[in-house]
Amino acid sequence: MYDRTEAPCPELATRTVQDDGGNRYVVYDGHAEIARIQIFDSQVLPGQHN
């Protein structure tokens, strides 16, 4: 069985997700869309913001 749980994502990070607590996560487009749906009061920002 193939498990990528600990492997880094090979996609280019193009978005920053900010949750309602101010935490930021730099992710690729696919993860940003999922986060927009799953994280309450999240914001998806273009580009990489640290």
Side-chain angles (χ1 to χ4, degrees):
M1 181 167 141
Y2 180 68
D3 182 5
R4 285 194 43 196
T5 304
E6 299 298 321
C9 182
E11 300 291 329
L12 179 63
T14 57
R15 303 280 186 259
T16 298
V17 175
Q18 181 171 312
D19 66 19
D20 62 342
N23 300 304
R24 292 183 174 192
Y25 310 93
V26 178
V27 297
Y28 82 104
D29 290 337
H31 283 147
E33 289 303 314
I34 293 167
R36 185 189 314 256
I37 295 166
Q38 294 182 347
I39 300 175
F40 181 72
D41 280 345
S42 66
Q43 296 178 335
V44 176
L45 310 170
Q48 298 179 17
H49 304 271
N50 294 324

